[in-house]
Amino acid sequence: MQSLENELKECARKLLTEKKVDLIIGYKKGALPLRSTPCFIREEKDVDSLIFDFTCSNNLATYLQKSKLAEHRTPNTENHGKIGIIAKACDARAIVQLIVEKQVKKEDITLIGIACTGILDLKKVSDGLDGKEILNYKLQNGEVLFQGKDFKKPLKLSDILCDVCKTCLNPDPSVYDSFIGEPISGAKTEIVDKLEGLSPDERWEYFEREISKCIRCYACRNACPLCYCEECVVDRTNPQWFGKSTEFSDTFTFHITRMLDTAGRCVGCGACIRACPTHVDLAPLGIKIEKEIKERFGYTAGLSLDVIPPMATFDEDDKQEFIM
Amino acid sequence: MSTKKQEYKKTGAQEHKSTGTQENWQPKIIAFLCNWCSYAGADLAGVSRIQYPPNIRVIRVPCSGRINPIFVLKCLQNGFDGVLVSGCHPGNCHYISGNYYARRKFAILKTLLEFIGIEPGRVQFSWVSAGEGEKFAQVVEKVADDVKKLGPAKRFVKRI
Amino acid sequence: MATFKIKKKRLKEFIDNLTKEYRVFIPVESDGVASFMEIGDLRFDSYNTDRPPKEIFFPQTEALLTYKEGEISSPEQASTEKIAIFGVRPCDAKSFSLLDRLFGMEPNVAKCSEYKDTYWINKRTNALIFTIGCNHPLSTCFCNWLNGGPFNKEGTDLLLTDNGEDFLVEHCSKNGEEFIKTKGMPVQKATKVDIKRASSIRKKAESTLSKPVDITSLKEDLDNLWDNPVWDEIAYKCLSCAACSYLCPTCYCFDIQDERAGNARGKRIRIWDSCMFSLFTKEASGHNPRPSSKERMRQRIMHKFNYFVENLGEFGCVGCGRCIRSCPVNVDIREIINTIKNVKLTVSNEK
C-alpha cells in the first residue's frame, strides 16, 4: 500500500499535469524539526516537496480568502486560476463554510481531503521535554522519540496531540473532490469542556491568566479562514470600539468578539491556538460556543453545502428560556 | 507570583468609581429598549405613575436586533453594573424578524458571558410590549434587585 | 584588566541584595512563555526568552502623559528608579545598543538619531545589564551572521560566562567597572585555570553555531532588488500578523492613542505597532501603498537590512531567532537572506 505522502504527491502531480488546477496549496517541510510550512506549487517539478504529517498545523483554507488570494497574483497570471487545496477534515469544513458564505466558488476549488489523525501541540511537547531544543524525532509504535543535543526522550503520541484533535467529532471530510488515505470513521468522542466542573470564579481566573499573555499580534485572527472581514472591527478607529493596547478588558473583549463573530462558523480546527506565539489557550471559549450552537440550533459548521449558517437565520420556535 | 510588568493580571476595584460605601451603593444599569415595544412600555409605566427603581439609564434603539453584543461588552467595560436588553415579543417585531435574530444572538452571548465568569444576573433580556407598563416595572425591579445582590461590577472594567 | 568570578550558589543572595537599590528583572518561565519579570525562579539554562527584554525599557503599553482634573503629569518620564537586568543574552544586549542609537541616547556616536526619546533614555540611563553568554546556542541562533556572537559584549555592562560551578565575570563598560569596584558583588579574582576553561567553553559554543552566511553586501544587494519578483516568492505565505515584530528585540514602531475615563481623567498612551499589519500604512483616503504581504515583507527586510544600515550604520537584526520560532507559518528570515543572495547571483550572471 502506498504511503500517504506518495498518494498525495501522485494526486497533486496528476491535477497539475492534466491542467485541472493552476495552483496547489499544500504543506512542505519547515525550517525547524517540528514545523511544516505552507507551500504554493505551480509546477510539477515542485510536487515532491509536499508532505503531510502531524506537524501540518496551519489551516490552509485561510489562503482562499478573497483578500489573501488577491495578493497572490503573479505577473504571468491574471487571476489565481483553479486551486487544488490540501485539507484535513477540519480544514475541509472551513472550505465548505467559505463556499456556503459565498466567499469562494465551488467550481474554482479542488478539495483534496486527507486522512488526519491529529496535529502536534508544540507547547505540550516543550513541556514534556522541559523546554529543551529538539533536533530530531522519530515516530514509532504510538510514541515519538525526541532527540536533542544531549538527550533522547520518548513521549506518548496521545499525550502531545492538540486537545481539539483528540476530541475531533468529524475526522472525515464530508465534502471533497479527492480523498487521500483511509477514512478514520469510528474515532468519535464527545467534545470535552476542559473547564467543566470549575466554578465561575475559577473559570474567570483561568481566562484572566490566559488573556494576560496575549500580545495583540492577531496571529489567531489572521490564521483563521473564517476571519475574512475587509476591515476587522478591532482595527476600526472611527468609531474605535476597542482600545488597542494590552489592557486586560480590551484584550479580552477582542477575543470574545472574535469568538462571537465566528459563532456557528468556527470549525474547531485549532489553527488559531497553534498560531499564537505566547500560547494563549482560548479553545474552551470556541468549543463552548460551538457546543451551544449544536444544542440549540442543531448545526455544525461545514458539513453540508446546502445550509444557512445559524446566526444568519432564525426559527420561530427557538428556545427562549433565558428571556423574561 | 505577581509582576509589575503585567499590571492587569489581577482585577480589583476600579479606582475611579466612587460608588459610596457598601450600604448605600446604588447599581448603575443600562437598558437598551426597542423603540416600538419596550420603550413605549416604559413610557406607559411612567405615564401610569408605576414606581420602579431609578437605577436604569435608557438607550432607545429601533429594534432589539440592532443590539450588537459589543454594546453589552462595552457597557461592562465602562463600569455599568448591569445591562438590560428588551424588545418586542416574538412575532410582534415592528421590522418583522429583528427580534428573532436578536434572540439567537442573545442566547449565545448569555452562554458566553456566564461561561467566562460574568455573574448571571448582570446581563438580562426581556420581551416587553407597548401595553405592558406593569411588566416593565417588574422587569426593572428584578434586574435591579439581582444586580444589587451581586455588588459593583469589577471583572470586566477597563482600567485607565 | 582583571577578570573575576562569582560562585553560582552566591547568585541568589547577590540578586536579592541588588533589589534593594534596583528594580531587578530576571528571565522567568511562566505557562510556557519565558520573559523578563521581577519576581520568579531564575533559569540559567534556558536560551533567550520568548518575549524580548526591550519591553522593560519600551513597554508594549506605556502612558506618555496622564491628566486628572486639569493636572497633567508624566510619571514615566520623571521616574528615578534604577533598573538592572540579570540574564540577558548577548543578542538582546546588542539590541539595547542599537535601540540606544535609535532613540537618540548616544549623540556622540556617529550615526545616531537626532530625536531623543526621553521615555527610553530615562529608563536606560543608569540601567545595569548583566549578560550571560550562551554556552549552548540554539539551531535558530544566527547572531554570528550579523557581527554578533554567543559572548559578544555590545550593550553589556558585565558579561558572565557559565564556567560550571561559577560564572566568570568581566566588565565591558564604565558602569560595569564601577559596579564591580564599589558595589560589593561577591566576586573573587579568576584564576588562569578559570579563564582557560571559559575560553574553551566559548570556542565550543561558537563552533556549534551554523556557518555564517556572508552578508557584507546584503545592503547593496537590496538596493537593486526593489522591483524584483523574488518578493512574491518570499512573502506568499505571510499572514500579516505581528508575531515577528512584537517579539523582535530591535523592532520599535509604535502608535499613540488617547484613552479617557469620562471627561476628567485620561491618558495618552503609546502601544506597539507593526509594519506587518495591513492597517499600518492605510491612509485616510482608503488608499494603501503597501496593499499586500509582498510589499510589507519587502518593507520589513529592507528596513532591517538596508534602511537601518543607511540610518544607523548597522544591520537592524541581532540574529536571536525569535521570529523564526514564533512565526505561525514558519517564515525563516535566514531562508529569505539566502534567497536574496541567490537572486543577486542570477541577476549578476545574466548581466
Side-chain angles (χ1 to χ4, degrees):
Chain A
M1 205 197 71
Q2 221 180 21
S3 82
L4 199 67
E5 278 182 10
N6 286 336
E7 208 186 318
L8 171 64
K9 288 177 197 175
E10 245 187 62
C11 175
R13 202 181 314 266
K14 201 156 173 253
L15 286 170
L16 276 174
T17 46
E18 291 176 8
K19 301 234 190 304
K20 293 223 172 85
V21 300
D22 302 293
L23 169 68
I24 296 223
I25 304 180
Y27 304 94
K28 67 177 182 188
K29 190 102 188 57
L32 299 176
L34 284 182
R35 300 292 304 273
S36 65
T37 193
C39 68
F40 282 31
I41 294 178
R42 288 176 221 277
E43 287 165 52
E44 197 233 313
K45 66 174 168 59
D46 298 323
V47 161
D48 281 314
S49 57
L50 285 173
I51 64 161
F52 188 77
D53 58 27
F54 58 12
T55 65
C56 294
S57 59
N58 303 109
N59 186 332
L60 298 176
T62 192
Y63 293 107
L64 297 179
Q65 292 173 356
K66 278 189 188 146
S67 54
K68 289 197 177 90
L69 277 180
E71 296 179 6
H72 296 121
R73 252 169 237 135
T74 52
N76 54 1
T77 56
E78 253 313 295
N79 59 34
H80 32 267
K82 301 235 183 294
I83 300 180
I85 178 163
I86 306 215
K88 323 190 270 290
C90 45
D91 303 347
R93 283 194 292 128
I95 296 172
V96 167
Q97 188 69 23
L98 282 173
I99 296 173
V100 162
E101 294 181 10
K102 304 204 178 5
Q103 294 299 305
V104 152
K105 289 208 195 93
K106 185 164 192 320
E107 317 78 83
D108 289 343
I109 306 290
T110 300
L111 214 166
I112 307 168
I114 191 159
C116 168
T117 47
I119 300 296
L120 278 187
D121 181 330
L122 293 178
K123 178 166 186 287
K124 286 186 190 173
V125 174
S126 175
D127 288 345
L129 300 174
D130 202 30
K132 297 209 187 82
E133 193 193 12
I134 298 157
L135 296 175
N136 224 327
Y137 70 91
K138 195 153 80 163
L139 172 63
Q140 55 194 24
N141 306 328
E143 255 187 10
V144 185
L145 182 63
F146 290 103
Q147 205 176 333
K149 210 162 176 176
D150 49 12
F151 75 92
K152 254 192 180 136
K153 187 174 178 193
L155 292 176
K156 262 174 71 186
L157 184 59
S158 53
D159 285 342
I160 53 176
L161 290 181
C162 291
D163 286 337
V164 293
C165 299
K166 282 169 27 176
T167 56
C168 176
L169 283 181
N170 302 286
D172 295 313
S174 38
V175 176
Y176 55 85
D177 293 301
S178 314
F179 186 76
I180 314 287
E182 296 296 317
I184 309 195
S185 30
K188 291 183 210 283
T189 57
E190 267 309 305
I191 295 177
V192 166
D193 178 356
K194 193 156 115 177
L195 306 184
E196 210 159 13
L198 292 185
S199 71
D201 286 341
E202 286 167 323
R203 286 202 294 267
W204 176 259
E205 262 181 49
Y206 174 84
F207 286 116
E208 246 194 318
R209 204 176 60 237
E210 293 298 321
I211 297 291
S212 306
K213 298 192 275 187
C214 176
I215 57 172
R216 302 293 289 270
C217 68
Y218 306 124
C220 49
R221 175 193 71 179
N222 293 12
C224 176
L226 278 312
C227 278
Y228 54 72
C229 288
E230 273 181 41
E231 186 179 28
C232 179
V233 68
V234 83
D235 287 336
R236 279 203 81 169
T237 44
N238 195 12
Q240 185 162 329
W241 290 102
F242 311 120
K244 294 178 190 241
S245 73
T246 45
E247 196 273 332
F248 175 77
S249 72
D250 280 329
T251 309
F252 204 179
T253 311
F254 158 63
H255 286 289
I256 291 177
T257 303
R258 197 180 80 81
M259 290 297 176
L260 284 174
D261 285 346
T262 48
R265 309 158 61 230
C266 169
V267 296
C269 65
C272 52
I273 312 297
R274 291 187 293 263
C276 180
T278 51
H279 310 300
V280 176
D281 182 17
L282 293 171
L285 260 185
I287 290 173
K288 177 67 179 176
I289 294 183
E290 294 315 310
K291 201 168 167 188
E292 188 71 20
I293 299 249
K294 192 168 175 200
E295 274 170 24
R296 273 184 194 265
F297 314 128
Y299 180 88
T300 301
L303 290 181
S304 153
L305 285 169
D306 238 334
V307 288
I308 303 176
M311 302 310 281
T313 186
F314 61 88
D315 191 308
E316 287 177 19
D317 299 317
D318 277 332
K319 285 198 298 196
Q320 51 177 39
E321 80 292 355
F322 61 96
I323 304 186
M324 290 186 270
Chain B
M1 171 182 75
S2 66
T3 69
K4 284 199 177 124
K5 170 176 72 87
Q6 294 176 332
E7 297 179 301
Y8 307 105
K9 214 170 151 76
K10 294 261 173 266
T11 52
Q14 332 95 301
E15 52 166 55
H16 71 277
K17 269 184 75 80
S18 51
T19 46
T21 63
Q22 268 316 98
E23 303 95 62
N24 60 13
W25 165 74
Q26 286 293 327
K28 284 194 181 72
I29 299 169
I30 190 160
F32 290 97
L33 305 180
C34 87
N35 176 63
W36 303 97
C37 286
S38 298
Y39 189 81
D43 197 52
L44 179 59
V47 158
S48 316
R49 300 277 186 262
I50 303 175
Q51 296 295 309
Y52 60 79
N55 305 88
I56 63 161
R57 291 112 199 269
V58 171
I59 291 187
R60 182 174 63 116
V61 293
C63 176
S64 52
R66 173 70 180 93
I67 305 302
N68 187 330
I70 293 178
F71 300 172
V72 175
L73 293 173
K74 282 211 78 68
C75 290
L76 293 174
Q77 264 197 301
N78 282 322
F80 276 101
D81 304 298
V83 181
L84 167 67
V85 181
S86 184
C88 305
H89 286 269
N92 294 347
C93 177
H94 183 83
Y95 304 99
I96 316 297
S97 52
N99 56 357
Y100 286 134
Y101 291 103
R103 187 165 56 182
R104 286 205 169 190
K105 270 188 274 187
F106 299 158
I108 301 303
L109 176 64
K110 191 167 174 64
T111 306
L112 186 64
L113 288 177
E114 280 176 24
F115 183 68
I116 63 175
I118 302 292
E119 305 90 326
R122 285 216 189 270
V123 180
Q124 302 201 35
F125 307 91
S126 65
W127 301 138
V128 172
S129 81
E132 289 181 312
E134 187 67 59
K135 177 173 182 191
F136 181 74
Q138 285 165 1
V139 163
V140 178
E141 195 80 61
K142 175 175 193 297
V143 175
D145 210 37
D146 288 343
V147 176
K148 265 205 195 92
K149 288 203 191 88
L150 291 169
K154 290 179 191 161
R155 291 209 154 147
F156 223 80
V157 182
K158 177 160 176 167
R159 271 189 241 95
I160 294 186
Chain C
M1 188 187 84
T3 308
F4 302 91
K5 66 178 177 186
I6 180 173
K7 286 217 172 307
K8 272 189 187 167
K9 52 186 183 197
R10 298 205 68 184
L11 263 179
K12 183 165 187 318
E13 161 205 338
F14 165 61
I15 292 177
D16 286 341
N17 279 337
L18 206 56
T19 58
K20 293 185 183 137
E21 209 184 323
Y22 293 83
R23 274 181 75 188
V24 183
F25 290 84
I26 55 178
V28 168
E29 199 244 309
S30 163
D31 227 354
V33 179
S35 55
F36 283 89
M37 293 191 183
E38 283 181 87
I39 306 172
D41 293 318
L42 172 57
R43 283 190 68 149
F44 299 133
D45 56 336
S46 58
Y47 37 86
N48 60 354
T49 52
D50 297 304
R51 296 177 71 134
K54 74 179 179 190
E55 63 180 345
I56 299 171
F57 302 122
F58 175 52
Q60 184 161 7
T61 305
E62 182 172 25
L64 299 180
L65 57 86
T66 310
Y67 64 90
K68 186 171 180 172
E69 284 146 22
E71 304 243 326
I72 299 180
S73 62
S74 191
E76 299 279 340
Q77 261 183 326
S79 157
T80 50
E81 316 176 298
K82 291 202 287 191
I83 290 177
I85 315 181
F86 190 94
V88 172
R89 297 292 167 166
C91 48
D92 291 333
K94 185 168 179 189
S95 79
F96 292 151
S97 90
L98 280 172
L99 289 177
D100 281 345
R101 303 228 298 282
L102 184 100
F103 284 131
M105 197 164 120
E106 302 200 2
N108 300 325
V109 173
K111 291 229 182 220
C112 170
S113 163
E114 276 171 33
Y115 162 74
K116 282 187 182 11
D117 189 300
T118 47
Y119 301 91
W120 171 274
I121 293 173
N122 188 43
K123 292 194 196 71
R124 259 297 274 151
T125 314
N126 300 322
L128 212 50
I129 310 293
F130 294 83
T131 302
I132 297 183
C134 305
N135 291 17
H136 305 288
L138 292 180
S139 64
T140 47
C141 294
F142 59 106
C143 49
N144 55 341
W145 296 24
L146 295 144
N147 305 317
F151 294 92
N152 189 278
K153 295 182 174 169
E154 277 172 85
T156 298
D157 292 311
L158 289 147
L159 176 65
L160 277 66
T161 306
D162 186 338
N163 227 7
E165 269 188 18
D166 34 40
F167 277 101
L168 206 73
V169 180
E170 295 162 87
H171 53 80
C172 316
S173 73
K174 268 220 173 65
N175 280 349
E177 195 174 359
E178 261 316 295
F179 186 78
I180 289 218
K181 267 198 210 142
T182 57
K183 301 291 180 166
M185 187 173 174
V187 292
Q188 313 156 276
K189 269 234 168 65
T191 64
K192 278 213 176 83
V193 173
D194 294 326
I195 296 178
K196 196 151 176 251
R197 184 163 64 228
S199 170
S200 73
I201 285 178
R202 288 182 191 177
K203 281 208 175 64
K204 189 152 175 268
E206 276 152 20
S207 71
T208 62
L209 281 172
S210 59
K211 190 161 168 291
V213 166
D214 179 12
I215 57 171
T216 36
S217 67
L218 188 57
K219 193 250 176 208
E220 287 74 29
D221 296 345
L222 285 171
D223 279 333
N224 303 318
L225 284 179
W226 185 262
D227 291 311
N228 196 293
V230 71
W231 295 111
D232 284 301
E233 198 188 308
I234 288 174
Y236 71 88
K237 59 192 181 184
C238 173
L239 296 179
S240 300
C241 69
C244 55
S245 342
Y246 284 3
L247 296 186
C248 171
T250 55
C251 274
Y252 59 86
C253 284
F254 58 88
D255 189 11
I256 297 184
Q257 298 241 302
D258 287 340
E259 297 202 332
R260 51 190 192 94
N263 286 326
R265 246 172 32 95
K267 274 187 186 168
R268 174 158 291 172
I269 60 174
R270 77 167 164 193
I271 52 181
W272 290 352
D273 202 351
S274 166
C275 58
M276 301 307 273
F277 289 142
S278 66
L279 199 62
F280 193 72
T281 47
K282 190 163 183 192
E283 296 166 7
S285 61
H287 169 66
N288 191 341
R290 295 187 199 141
S292 81
S293 58
K294 159 186 150 179
E295 287 90 16
R296 297 191 283 269
M297 181 65 82
R298 179 175 60 191
Q299 148 66 17
R300 182 174 169 75
I301 303 297
M302 290 292 287
H303 191 182
K304 293 250 170 264
F305 298 105
N306 184 295
Y307 308 150
F308 231 93
V309 180
E310 216 168 285
N311 298 335
L312 293 176
E314 258 194 270
F315 289 121
C317 171
V318 295
C320 70
R322 286 184 176 94
C323 55
I324 302 171
R325 298 201 305 264
S326 66
C327 177
V329 290
N330 200 216
V331 168
D332 189 329
I333 199 166
R334 299 168 298 180
E335 267 177 34
I336 294 177
I337 292 175
N338 280 324
T339 306
I340 290 171
K341 284 184 61 102
N342 290 336
V343 170
K344 191 243 169 182
L345 287 171
T346 14
V347 162
S348 60
N349 283 343
E350 280 169 16
K351 277 209 175 113

